[in-house]
Amino acid sequence: MTTPLRILGISGSLRKESYNKKLLDAAKALCPDGAEMTLLDWANVPLFNQDLEMNPPQAVTEVKAAIRAADAIVFATPEYNYSIPGPLKNLIDWASRPYGDSAWQGKPVAVIGAAFSRGGSVRAQMALRQCFLFLNMPPVQSPEVFVTDFAHTFDAEGRYVDEDGKKAIRQVLENLVALTTKLKG
């Protein structure tokens, strides 16, 4: 029996009832055979302070260890002010520091997102993809998943129920597994 591919899901929102966390819950249930997803709890990561990067807080050390242990990453992000949420950028910065010790290095990555904006996080996803260039994270390019119509895509209990959206998320995950497997070679 082979070890399952480990995917780490990271919500760009810290809100307890975040639609992006619920989107990751759906993704977790849709993982293809041979893969499993865990969700990162990063609510205790403090604001980045370069004075602390050589001796980071325990929460940062734990987050970096979880990222390093993963074979691949899935971000689910909302969109704030046409970009990624500040706390998510903070997490990305902490996990990439100090220079030369990035936990993100070479991790295959996929992005999905839910936002109230008409574009459903399209600009936030593009901003994340820009970060991936410097972080050397090979991204899954398609399909793109942008959730906007919360009244019809989540039920009263907060479960993601859009069947077309589920197919797209499943395909994103299959593409991520294929990319990760190819890169592990």
Side-chain angles (χ1 to χ4, degrees), residues 10-78:
I10 301 173
S11 174
S13 173
L14 294 172
R15 190 170 66 86
K16 183 178 178 185
E17 294 298 319
S18 162
Y19 285 108
N20 285 283
K21 286 182 182 176
K22 293 173 184 183
L23 205 54
L24 283 174
D25 287 337
K28 186 175 179 179
L30 295 167
C31 262
D33 291 340
E36 62 184 23
M37 181 183 293
T38 58
L39 305 183
L40 182 67
D41 178 3
W42 59 278
N44 293 326
V45 172
L47 290 175
F48 178 73
N49 179 340
Q50 194 170 9
D51 290 338
L52 303 176
E53 76 177 330
M54 299 311 283
N55 188 21
Q58 181 69 25
V60 172
T61 302
E62 291 170 2
V63 160
K64 286 182 80 170
I67 294 165
R68 283 193 170 102
D71 296 306
I73 307 292
V74 173
F75 286 102
T77 189

Side-chain angles (χ1 to χ4, degrees), residues 23 31 59 70 94 99 111 130 149 184:
L23 205 54
C31 262
W94 264 122
Y99 184 78
V111 185
Q130 186 176 1
D149 186 7
K184 288 182 126 200

Side-chain angles (χ1 to χ4, degrees), residues 19 22 26 50 60 79-80 88 98 105 111 120 160 166 168 177:
Y19 285 108
K22 293 173 184 183
Q50 194 170 9
V60 172
E79 181 174 294
Y80 297 168
L88 180 57
Q105 177 64 31
V111 185
Y160 187 65
K166 286 181 181 182
V177 167

Side-chain angles (χ1 to χ4, degrees), residues 92-109:
I92 291 168
D93 291 346
W94 264 122
S96 70
R97 305 294 299 185
Y99 184 78
D101 187 35
S102 175
W104 306 113
Q105 177 64 31
K107 297 283 181 190
V109 62

Side-chain angles (χ1 to χ4, degrees), residues 90-168:
N90 182 67
L91 172 70
I92 291 168
D93 291 346
W94 264 122
S96 70
R97 305 294 299 185
Y99 184 78
D101 187 35
S102 175
W104 306 113
Q105 177 64 31
K107 297 283 181 190
V109 62
V111 185
I112 59 178
F116 287 102
S117 68
R118 223 181 248 193
S121 81
V122 67
R123 291 172 290 236
Q125 291 189 35
M126 290 302 295
L128 265 176
R129 290 176 184 279
Q130 186 176 1
C131 293
F132 301 157
L133 292 172
F134 179 78
L135 298 171
N136 192 29
M137 297 178 76
V140 167
Q141 300 295 349
S142 66
E144 296 175 313
V145 178
F146 309 113
V147 178
T148 59
D149 186 7
F150 299 152
H152 295 99
T153 55
F154 292 91
D155 67 14
E157 286 77 40
R159 290 181 301 252
Y160 187 65
V161 294
D162 178 33
E163 291 304 319
D164 288 335
K166 286 181 181 182
K167 287 177 190 172

